[in-house]
Amino acid sequence: MKIICPKDELHRAVQTVQKAVATKTPLPILTGIYLSASGSELQLQATDYEVGISCTIAATVEESGAVVLAGRYFQELVRRLPGETVEIASSLEDRTIKVSSQNSQFNLLSLPAEEFPVLKPVISDNVMKVQDAVLRDLIRKTVFACAADEARPVFTGGLLEMDGTEVRMVATNTHRLALKKGQLTAGNGTAKMIIPAKILNELARLLATDEPEEVSILWQKNQVGIVFDNVYIISRLIEGQFPDYNKVIPANYATTVKLNTDQFLDAVERVSLLARDGEYNVVKFNFKNNEVIISSNNPDIGKAREAVAAETNGNELEIAFNAKYVTDILKNIDSEELTLSLNTPLSPAGIKAAADDNYIYIITPVRTS
Amino acid sequence: MKIICPKDELHRAVQTVQKAVATKTPLPILTGIYLSASGSELQLQATDYEVGISCTIAATVEESGAVVLAGRYFQELVRRLPGETVEIASSLEDRTIKVSSQNSQFNLLSLPAEEFPVLKPVISDNVMKVQDAVLRDLIRKTVFACAADEARPVFTGGLLEMDGTEVRMVATNTHRLALKKGQLTAGNGTAKMIIPAKILNELARLLATDEPEEVSILWQKNQVGIVFDNVYIISRLIEGQFPDYNKVIPANYATTVKLNTDQFLDAVERVSLLARDGEYNVVKFNFKNNEVIISSNNPDIGKAREAVAAETNGNELEIAFNAKYVTDILKNIDSEELTLSLNTPLSPAGIKAAADDNYIYIITPVRTS
């Protein structure tokens, strides 16, 4: 193999596939980045068998072929290389790969390219298409609600649901649930799949480009392929039954409260300072006619009390929440005002942006004595 | 105690003393910040018995007195408080301190103020004065060369030396040495003291303000007091004999090499990528007539080779260094060109900015087979 390509594009491609490079693995080949050159393209691939990412860039290919380089070193090296172009050439004599640019020359040992599990694209008629900004929003506004604990795998992923041209993403750890709806650019029929949170987070990061583009999502059995720009991602799907989230969303509320998002967030964050050390980070909310009193009490440190102006419709109510479950959603609400909806001190509450019915968050209260 | 003060100034004062708050200590009182109000001033203090920092700000004192608040919580709270002013008032009934601002009210438990070891200013006729920017430069350009290992305490601090109106700071871990000279605004006679690196780093951080100011340094026995603006720092001095650094600095060199600082730094950093995993991070330098060849070899990863243009006077030479000891100094040289001076492959080398004789760095080579 022998190629010449622009350094900046190579760097971006390495960064794109980098997250799929395995770090702890008994298989050394998975710690490598696979480079394959043919025609006028260089393709980079990495996989840890859970997710695989490939990225293709234009290159001057003087000799086609494939090599595998140690991911960690190759990435650091490409980042620091001088000059505008990089030459990568394999040397048959000593099994090294020469990576050079200006006065820099590195001879990296090659991993056995024939051992690399080259990605097989998902072949399927099951496909939906969506704008990158819509998909990014679906992920960012829900994935934080996933469970970190691996005990129940279905809760460590986000449920992606297609229903005609509507798309929904749902995430829950059973104590709180986030649901975001959007529109597909192409969709047909219904489909459900649970994608690991780790891969969703990585996908949201890769979708954060300036130019709008369409993303194709293909699926087949326990695999999903995500295609956009010059990137191809293959991920396993999480098997298991995601609970019926519609049952979790209350049909009616006895009390609704309108609040300024930033004021409410700042106040909850301050009050939770003293609650953080406790096991459940419990903060009390006393909803009165025109204000909410937020308070916490930590016998070892002290007490906190905040008053925030509120517009309450319905019954006055005292209820306690894990403060983190409240601040997590407040940070994701873009609008100036939010609506908090309640029934009783022990039944689930809803939080949503005042003027957005496509984003719903449900939170279970904490029982206090 | 009851005071009202501007929030931003209180926040800055808390940040200033924060680094002296003890985190791991069997004495709970040292985890607190001491607040003392009298006249029209509020003084904050913290100490871990190694270093003590006090900071005084203007305040409206309605009732003088002293309290001690849990450092960690008080700092977080002040950072997040709303509004422009803060009220702090002790309540006799429940031994709590009320910290309030706008609609926020916190009642923090008070630690027993009478147990706090209030700082005693260093009373001494031994004094030198120096501009803050000069002192900051003395510290930043030397302290990185200290030993991290506590085995030989004198090497974990920087030697501050007064000689008339000249001031010098020297740091070494016995494998490399950094010396920086400057001018005092007031000094008389000679003095030497070894100040812990941790405190020097903290001092450099606190001196990073926009307005130039004069710093007074007073010393007595095993203590030094550092006074500037509204801040007072008291630190213990490290006891022991600092070696005679003049013996370490070669009088003459057989070879001198002029190099572009940035080009040389970038090349050494790239070559060291492959050497980093080795025990000594060894990089080889082959100084030729008009270039230096920098190389490393890691049997598990590969080889690196860089050529950098150089202007060499004297013998050609091959020598090996710990790459970190080279890059550390290159990052601290502000000028475009540097001079590297050598004798033999086994004798200490010198590195300095091409046009600055007040900053000298000595580095011991690594013996390679």
Side-chain angles (χ1 to χ4, degrees):
Chain A
M1 188 184 97
K2 183 170 179 184
I3 65 109
I4 297 165
C5 69
K7 188 191 74 178
D8 289 348
E9 286 186 35
L10 180 64
H11 183 211
R12 259 198 300 275
V14 172
Q15 282 184 305
T16 299
V17 304
Q18 182 64 23
K19 276 292 168 87
V21 171
T23 45
K24 289 174 195 163
T25 171
L27 297 171
I29 193 71
L30 299 185
T31 65
I33 293 177
Y34 174 85
L35 283 78
S36 147
S38 68
S40 57
E41 286 185 339
L42 175 70
Q43 189 182 60
L44 283 78
Q45 290 194 5
T47 181
D48 61 3
Y49 279 139
E50 176 160 20
V51 62
I53 306 179
S54 107
C55 185
T56 305
I57 60 172
T60 305
V61 179
E62 297 189 358
E63 198 184 307
S64 53
V67 300
V68 177
L69 293 172
R72 195 177 129 212
Y73 293 98
F74 185 54
Q75 187 246 118
E76 281 266 16
L77 175 58
V78 171
R79 185 166 72 83
R80 290 167 186 262
L81 277 180
E84 309 247 303
T85 59
V86 181
E87 184 183 307
I88 303 177
S90 53
S91 148
L92 283 180
E93 307 99 83
D94 59 353
R95 280 200 63 179
T96 67
I97 314 300
K98 190 177 80 179
V99 180
S100 53
S101 171
Q102 286 188 349
N103 293 327
S104 302
Q105 186 184 314
F106 287 74
N107 290 74
L108 301 176
L109 299 190
S110 174
L111 296 165
E114 64 282 4
E115 287 180 16
F116 189 86
V118 176
L119 302 179
K120 291 179 195 67
V122 175
I123 311 278
S124 171
D125 293 331
N126 301 324
V127 60
M128 62 178 113
K129 294 188 181 199
V130 60
Q131 270 306 119
D132 56 352
V134 172
L135 181 57
R136 196 171 62 229
D137 212 34
L138 286 175
I139 296 171
R140 291 230 166 118
K141 286 193 148 73
T142 56
V143 71
F144 66 86
C146 286
D149 176 7
E150 302 274 338
R152 298 168 73 185
V154 291
F155 298 125
T156 63
L159 174 72
L160 181 68
E161 214 174 42
M162 175 176 77
D163 186 357
T165 59
E166 185 171 280
V167 61
R168 296 185 280 267
M169 189 161 275
V170 187
T172 181
N173 69 353
T174 75
H175 304 296
R176 45 107 171 248
L177 176 143
L179 160 64
K180 173 73 186 160
K181 298 175 193 174
Q183 286 297 315
L184 296 171
T185 47
N188 183 17
T190 62
K192 286 182 187 202
M193 64 196 88
I194 308 170
I195 304 173
K198 198 181 106 190
I199 284 128
L200 289 173
N201 279 318
E202 190 49 29
L203 176 59
R205 190 183 69 89
L206 292 177
L207 290 172
T209 58
D210 295 338
E211 285 179 41
E213 50 198 343
E214 195 174 51
V215 182
S216 297
I217 302 175
L218 299 96
W219 61 99
Q220 185 67 278
K221 290 184 194 155
N222 61 348
Q223 273 204 322
V224 61
I226 300 154
V227 191
F228 55 96
D229 196 20
N230 57 347
V231 179
Y232 197 108
I233 302 177
I234 298 179
S235 166
R236 71 169 179 92
L237 294 171
I238 296 174
E239 292 179 64
Q241 190 67 32
F242 203 88
D244 181 0
Y245 59 86
N246 288 304
K247 285 192 185 154
V248 178
I249 302 170
N252 298 295
Y253 291 106
T255 304
T256 61
V257 188
K258 227 183 231 181
L259 288 152
N260 176 289
T261 309
D262 287 345
Q263 275 179 21
F264 190 47
L265 173 59
D266 288 349
V268 176
E269 285 201 318
R270 279 193 295 272
V271 170
S272 80
L273 276 180
L274 303 195
R276 252 175 357 190
D277 280 350
E279 200 174 346
Y280 292 110
N281 196 1
V282 177
V283 167
K284 277 191 188 168
F285 298 79
N286 197 341
F287 293 96
K288 304 197 172 186
N289 186 28
N290 53 9
E291 63 175 1
V292 49
I293 307 297
I294 310 164
S295 62
S296 70
N297 189 355
N298 182 328
D300 298 328
I301 310 156
K303 287 189 288 195
R305 182 188 189 278
E306 295 263 352
V308 175
E311 201 183 296
T312 304
N313 273 299
N315 307 324
E316 297 197 352
L317 191 73
E318 190 174 77
I319 191 166
F321 294 115
N322 176 328
K324 187 174 172 357
Y325 291 171
V326 177
T327 54
D328 276 354
I329 177 65
L330 298 182
K331 287 174 191 165
N332 274 288
I333 288 182
D334 307 323
S335 70
E336 206 182 314
E337 285 205 314
L338 65 87
T339 308
L340 206 155
S341 305
L342 303 147
N343 281 311
T344 76
L346 296 178
S347 50
I351 299 180
K352 65 182 207 59
D356 180 4
D357 290 328
N358 290 317
Y359 187 27
I360 295 166
Y361 186 80
I362 305 296
I363 173 173
T364 308
V366 180
R367 189 188 293 262
T368 58
S369 50
Chain B
M1 188 185 97
K2 184 173 180 183
I3 65 107
I4 296 165
C5 71
K7 188 192 73 176
D8 288 348
E9 286 187 34
L10 180 64
H11 183 211
R12 259 195 301 274
V14 173
Q15 282 184 305
T16 298
V17 304
Q18 182 66 23
K19 276 291 168 89
V21 172
T23 46
K24 288 173 196 165
T25 172
L27 297 170
I29 192 70
L30 299 186
T31 65
I33 293 177
Y34 174 86
L35 283 78
S36 149
S38 70
S40 56
E41 285 184 340
L42 175 69
Q43 189 181 61
L44 283 78
Q45 289 193 5
T47 181
D48 61 4
Y49 278 140
E50 175 160 19
V51 61
I53 306 179
S54 112
C55 185
T56 305
I57 60 172
T60 305
V61 178
E62 295 189 359
E63 199 183 306
S64 53
V67 300
V68 177
L69 293 172
R72 196 179 127 209
Y73 293 98
F74 185 54
Q75 187 246 115
E76 280 265 16
L77 175 57
V78 171
R79 185 167 71 86
R80 290 168 186 262
L81 277 180
E84 308 250 302
T85 60
V86 180
E87 184 183 305
I88 303 176
S90 53
S91 148
L92 283 180
E93 308 100 81
D94 59 354
R95 282 201 61 181
T96 67
I97 315 300
K98 191 176 82 178
V99 180
S100 53
S101 171
Q102 287 188 345
N103 291 328
S104 301
Q105 187 184 313
F106 287 75
N107 289 72
L108 300 177
L109 300 189
S110 175
L111 296 165
E114 64 282 4
E115 287 180 14
F116 188 86
V118 176
L119 301 178
K120 291 178 195 67
V122 175
I123 312 280
S124 171
D125 294 331
N126 301 325
V127 61
M128 61 179 117
K129 295 189 182 195
V130 60
Q131 272 305 121
D132 55 352
V134 173
L135 181 57
R136 196 170 64 228
D137 213 32
L138 287 175
I139 296 170
R140 293 227 166 121
K141 287 195 149 75
T142 56
V143 72
F144 65 86
C146 287
D149 176 7
E150 303 273 340
R152 297 169 73 185
V154 292
F155 298 124
T156 63
L159 174 72
L160 181 67
E161 213 174 42
M162 176 176 74
D163 186 357
T165 58
E166 185 170 280
V167 60
R168 296 185 280 266
M169 188 160 275
V170 187
T172 181
N173 69 354
T174 74
H175 304 296
R176 46 105 172 250
L177 177 143
L179 160 65
K180 173 73 186 160
K181 300 177 191 172
Q183 286 297 316
L184 296 170
T185 49
N188 184 16
T190 62
K192 286 180 186 204
M193 65 195 87
I194 308 170
I195 305 174
K198 197 181 106 188
I199 284 127
L200 289 173
N201 279 318
E202 190 51 27
L203 177 58
R205 192 184 66 91
L206 293 176
L207 290 172
T209 58
D210 295 338
E211 285 179 42
E213 51 198 343
E214 195 174 53
V215 182
S216 297
I217 301 175
L218 298 97
W219 63 98
Q220 186 67 279
K221 288 182 196 156
N222 61 348
Q223 273 204 322
V224 60
I226 300 154
V227 192
F228 55 96
D229 194 20
N230 57 348
V231 178
Y232 198 108
I233 302 177
I234 299 179
S235 167
R236 70 168 181 91
L237 294 171
I238 296 175
E239 292 179 64
Q241 189 68 32
F242 203 88
D244 181 0
Y245 59 85
N246 288 305
K247 285 192 188 155
V248 177
I249 302 170
N252 298 295
Y253 292 105
T255 304
T256 60
V257 187
K258 227 183 232 179
L259 287 153
N260 176 288
T261 308
D262 288 345
Q263 275 180 18
F264 190 46
L265 173 59
D266 289 350
V268 177
E269 285 200 317
R270 280 192 295 271
V271 171
S272 80
L273 275 180
L274 303 196
R276 250 175 358 192
D277 280 348
E279 200 174 345
Y280 293 109
N281 196 2
V282 177
V283 167
K284 277 192 189 166
F285 299 79
N286 196 340
F287 293 96
K288 304 197 173 185
N289 186 30
N290 54 9
E291 64 175 0
V292 48
I293 306 298
I294 310 165
S295 63
S296 69
N297 189 355
N298 184 326
D300 298 329
I301 309 156
K303 287 189 288 193
R305 182 189 189 278
E306 294 262 352
V308 175
E311 200 182 297
T312 304
N313 273 299
N315 308 324
E316 298 197 352
L317 192 73
E318 191 175 77
I319 191 168
F321 295 115
N322 177 329
K324 187 174 173 353
Y325 292 171
V326 177
T327 54
D328 276 355
I329 177 66
L330 297 182
K331 287 175 190 166
N332 275 288
I333 288 182
D334 307 323
S335 70
E336 207 182 312
E337 286 205 315
L338 65 85
T339 308
L340 207 156
S341 306
L342 304 146
N343 280 312
T344 75
L346 295 178
S347 50
I351 300 180
K352 65 182 208 57
D356 180 3
D357 290 328
N358 290 317
Y359 186 27
I360 295 166
Y361 186 81
I362 305 296
I363 173 173
T364 307
V366 180
R367 187 189 295 260
T368 58
S369 48

